[in-house]
Amino acid sequence: MSADHDGGVSARSLRRSAGARLSRAGVASPERDVDELLASVLGLSLGQLPLAEEVSADQVARFEELLARREAREPLQHLLGTAAFRYVELEVGPGVFVPRPETELLAGWAVDQARAVEAEHGRGAVVVDLCTGSGAIARAVAHEVPSARVHAVELDPAALRWAARNLAETGVDLRQGDMGEAFDDLLGEVDVVVCNPPYIPLEAWESVAPEARDHDPHLALFSGADGLDAFRVLERRAARLLRPGGVVGAEHADAQGESAPAVFAGTGRWSQVRDHQDLAGRPRYVTARLAR
């Protein structure tokens, strides 16, 4: 790593050595994470970063602090303070589940369904986001379908505070409560229920990435022996919230491509129970339509 006379270093050598450190630490995308952190410290976009030549001593010190935390597997989004999600940027940090890129597909499904309601019925769709966490899905739907009436609920007080920040001035009706009891005032009136519930089996604790296991709220991760306890609650609640012909969509683990849809198919309340893959071809979310 070459230093200039003021104690700064070459941006290129800094990126190279930092990438090697994160790679040794087991970070899944070391080069990308390094670039995100360095761009943040330098006040540059990722596209501008290759133009950076020297990094001052003060900037190196700030970068080293962030790098050490990422090396310890603190989530990148906690260090940046934000997470991109579809067409919006969310504030995130300790106490809230960091939205994942694969959840953007489920949000996109909800957007499409809300638009379909507007096209077919000439009115704004009523959308409910259960287990809203950071407010990611609710924010995306409200942003992309302005006519939709979006409602969201979150149980955890810390996560609720992040959701309140992300949903401020969006028109989303945000409430604190349990997904299994939420929105009694909307029974039979909802067009779209969407949910990214906890779905990790308790026995899978050791297999969870440190970024999630050590930093995401456990309430947002684990859901009973088979990971489907929250799915069963969701199925019952969605059946009461939706109007006849309404739709529900929920994310699940890639190992639950058969068991998650079976929660819906086994009750006789649903038609068009389908599972959907993510961009890597892995089972990722299930959708179903309430029988008329």
Side-chain angles (χ1 to χ4, degrees):
M1 189 181 296
S2 58
D4 64 21
H5 63 280
D6 293 322
V9 301
S10 155
R12 181 177 297 178
S13 64
L14 188 64
R15 291 166 70 191
R16 186 169 55 247
S17 62
R21 280 176 59 181
L22 292 191
S23 182
R24 287 192 298 270
V27 172
S29 51
E31 290 82 10
R32 172 79 180 196
D33 287 20
V34 164
D35 286 355
E36 291 267 18
L37 292 174
L38 187 56
S40 175
V41 167
L42 298 180
L44 302 174
S45 69
L46 285 177
Q48 294 170 322
L49 189 60
L51 303 177
E53 296 182 357
E54 297 293 328
V55 183
S56 72
D58 286 347
Q59 290 169 329
V60 169
R62 173 64 180 145
F63 176 71
E64 284 286 343
E65 176 194 338
L66 293 173
L67 185 68
R69 291 167 64 187
R70 186 67 188 106
E71 200 172 17
R73 305 297 291 273
E74 190 170 338
L76 174 69
Q77 295 85 352
H78 284 195
L79 304 179
L80 299 174
T82 60
F85 189 82
R86 288 182 67 85
Y87 303 105
V88 299
E89 189 169 78
L90 304 161
E91 293 186 49
V92 295
V96 71
F97 181 81
V98 174
R100 276 35 173 194
E102 53 266 31
T103 306
E104 294 184 14
L105 298 174
L106 175 63
W109 170 86
V111 165
D112 291 343
Q113 297 302 313
R115 286 175 174 161
V117 168
E118 183 178 23
E120 181 177 352
H121 301 290
R123 60 169 175 81
V126 180
V127 181
V128 164
D129 177 16
L130 300 176
C131 307
T132 196
S134 65
I137 296 177
R139 172 89 179 266
V141 174
H143 177 77
E144 296 178 53
V145 194
S147 66
R149 289 177 287 154
V150 184
H151 307 264
V153 68
E154 173 57 44
L155 179 62
D156 183 80
L160 187 76
R161 287 192 288 273
W162 288 104
R165 293 165 71 170
N166 289 318
L167 297 176
E169 301 180 11
T170 63
V172 174
D173 166 30
L174 174 65
R175 309 183 194 182
Q176 182 173 10
D178 188 296
M179 64 180 288
E181 303 170 354
F183 302 114
D184 271 347
D185 54 320
L186 296 176
L187 297 181
E189 299 180 3
V190 178
D191 297 295
V192 183
V193 170
V194 62
C195 183
N196 184 11
Y199 52 70
I200 300 174
L202 289 171
E203 65 183 23
W205 166 268
E206 291 298 333
S207 67
V208 178
E211 286 88 344
R213 187 187 65 219
D214 299 339
H215 297 280
D216 281 331
H218 288 179
L219 187 65
L221 297 178
F222 300 100
S223 187
D226 63 357
L228 294 173
D229 281 3
F231 257 81
R232 297 182 184 99
V233 174
L234 167 65
E235 185 277 327
R236 292 191 296 269
R237 195 58 180 170
R240 296 199 65 199
L241 287 169
L242 289 170
R243 63 179 72 237
V247 290
V248 60
E251 184 173 317
H252 58 69
D254 52 14
Q256 295 166 336
E258 294 184 4
S259 58
V263 170
F264 290 88
T267 67
R269 286 193 278 255
W270 304 91
S271 65
Q272 301 174 29
V273 179
R274 291 186 52 215
D275 205 60
H276 305 259
Q277 296 181 336
D278 60 21
L279 297 178
R282 296 171 298 210
R284 184 54 57 198
Y285 67 97
V286 60
T287 61
R289 186 175 297 277
L290 187 64
R292 294 184 182 276

